[in-house]
Amino acid sequence: MTQAQEAILLVGGKGTRLRPLTVNTPKPMVPAAGVPFLTHQLARARAAGVEHIVLATSYLAEVFEPYFGDGSSLGLHLEYVTEVEPLGTGGAIRNVASRLRSGPDDPVLVFNGDILTGLDIRAFVDTHRSSGAEVSLHLSRVEDPRAFGLVPTDATGRVTAFLEKPQTPEEIVTDQINAGAYVFRRSVIDRIPTGRPVSVERETFPELLSSGAHLQGMVDSTYWLDLGTPQAFVRGSADLVLGRAPSPAVPGRCGDRLVLPTARVAADAKLTGGTVVGEGATVGEGARISGSTLLDGAVVEAGAVITDSLVGAGARVGARTVLTDTVVGDGAVIGADNELRDGVRVWCDAHLPAGAIRFSSDQ
């Protein structure tokens, strides 16, 4: 089999770093550029020739299948497997193995459900096949690798070690990090232990390496973003709208703004920087919104200024209120003349009276 026709998508995480976005919605289903983030991953896999995808679900597992069904609308065949107890990355991969159709030597793609990437999936599988590796890893180069596991490789791209998050400058021996996409030889998946939590990063990969197995790294630094924090999620959505992050699933032309069909935007409102206005949302007169996402049914009143922020479904932002780098949970109400910034998170259904919180004088 020349191309990988099967993939596993790991979508079981609770998304705790993204709360309150993930209180009512699992992380892969939070909208990015107008559709659930997972849609972009599925569409990119389909464009690379993948036909069958198994979703490894856990947290709020019941919302995936009603939305995506059997996958036929995306040209895919989708199956769903729900973890009862959290099994870690390796355990989740092993837990869905019975649904795979590949032969022992066939390539199976595995994607983490919270990575937005421009990875060339076909080239990735070609590298895996031509190198003869048991597992191949997508590696990305980052300026500050301290928050990530490091993966040094030799001159041929063969992985030489797996290093946990470095604590000292001396431990930073490479800027290559594990970017959360893999190609497994099917037989390797079948060897992962069953019925208990397993981490591919801490257990499976290091054990393979110490047993002399061939693990291949492919560095591809086109576009890569871990959507683990609200700030990153908002930026990822904006980058999709702006066309910086490629996806065949963006529902409209790339540009400064994406306004979904039933949204209402005042004629003099200014939307820039990859802003998304969801279905049924309303933007009032003179509002200025940059690099931000308004989810379905959100209301932004006249003169509000919103920058690099996310306003949850059905939430309301009062007149002249200023939000910078802020997340407003579903159904929350921010009264007029408030000023919120610097990573503030307003919980779902919270009510903030007019003029209640400011970072500057009200005069």
Side-chain angles (χ1 to χ4, degrees):
M1 187 161 64
T2 53
Q3 260 311 316
Q5 290 170 346
E6 288 199 299
I8 298 168
L9 258 168
L10 303 174
V11 292
K14 288 189 173 177
T16 46
R17 290 185 297 159
L18 272 178
R19 288 170 72 88
L21 293 184
T22 49
V23 170
N24 302 317
T25 310
K27 178 166 52 177
M29 296 299 288
V30 177
V35 295
F37 173 67
L38 181 57
T39 313
H40 300 291
Q41 290 186 304
L42 294 172
R44 282 182 49 76
R46 181 70 196 96
V50 174
E51 295 167 5
H52 178 224
I53 298 182
V54 186
L55 275 68
T57 66
S58 179
Y59 176 67
L60 296 176
E62 65 278 2
V63 307
F64 292 95
E65 193 165 358
Y67 187 90
F68 290 107
D70 63 2
S72 54
S73 63
L74 291 163
L76 288 162
H77 176 66
L78 297 182
E79 292 189 68
Y80 305 83
V81 177
T82 301
E83 288 170 37
V84 183
E85 297 286 324
L87 293 170
T89 42
I93 292 167
R94 182 65 182 88
N95 192 47
V96 307
S98 63
R99 303 296 184 92
L100 298 174
R101 306 161 182 173
S102 308
D105 292 328
D106 288 336
V108 178
L109 282 154
V110 179
F111 298 106
N112 276 347
D114 50 5
I115 302 295
L116 179 59
T117 173
L119 169 68
D120 184 335
I121 297 170
R122 288 181 187 272
F124 186 33
V125 177
D126 286 343
T127 298
H128 171 79
R129 209 177 56 255
S130 61
S131 69
E134 271 113 310
V135 180
S136 297
L137 296 87
H138 171 209
L139 307 179
S140 189
R141 291 199 170 101
V142 293
E143 279 183 31
D144 182 1
R146 286 176 301 183
F148 304 98
L150 308 186
V151 187
T153 52
D154 68 13
T156 66
R158 190 163 176 157
V159 175
T160 56
F162 287 92
L163 307 172
E164 283 300 312
K165 295 173 184 176
Q167 306 299 313
T168 66
E170 295 75 40
E171 291 176 21
I172 303 177
V173 296
T174 179
D175 60 354
Q176 295 175 179
I177 63 156
N178 177 353
Y182 315 108
V183 187
F184 276 78
R185 191 181 291 175
R186 165 65 198 271
S187 57
V188 176
I189 293 176
D190 292 331
R191 296 203 301 268
I192 297 172
T194 59
R196 66 171 176 86
V198 180
S199 162
V200 289
E201 301 87 354
R202 292 187 183 85
E203 185 176 338
T204 309
F205 294 159
E207 284 180 5
L208 282 167
L209 209 55
S210 65
S211 72
H214 180 173
L215 281 78
Q216 186 73 16
M218 184 179 108
V219 178
D220 177 302
S221 298
T222 41
Y223 177 99
W224 187 84
L225 188 63
D226 174 353
L227 300 186
T229 66
Q231 292 71 30
F233 202 96
V234 169
R235 188 163 95 241
S237 176
D239 284 346
L240 282 161
V241 175
L242 290 164
R244 290 175 186 157
S247 167
V250 177
R253 295 211 334 272
C254 289
D256 246 0
R257 54 194 271 174
L258 173 64
V259 179
L260 294 183
T262 57
R264 297 188 302 282
V265 178
D268 65 345
K270 194 161 192 265
L271 309 178
T272 58
T275 287
V276 181
V277 183
E279 297 281 1
T282 305
V283 178
E285 294 174 359
R288 300 202 309 278
I289 307 178
S290 173
S292 298
T293 294
L294 310 183
L295 296 185
D296 293 356
V299 175
V300 173
E301 295 181 5
V305 180
I306 301 178
T307 308
D308 299 338
S309 296
L310 187 140
V311 179
R316 178 177 286 268
V317 177
R320 298 171 303 281
T321 281
V322 177
L323 306 181
T324 306
D325 190 17
T326 296
V327 175
V328 178
D330 297 345
V333 177
I334 312 289
D337 300 305
N338 279 290
E339 185 185 352
L340 305 177
R341 56 182 172 93
D342 297 341
V344 163
R345 305 178 191 220
V346 179
W347 235 249
C348 299
D349 301 314
H351 281 240
L352 211 57
I357 295 182
R358 300 193 60 82
F359 282 77
S360 59
S361 161
D362 61 345
Q363 296 300 311

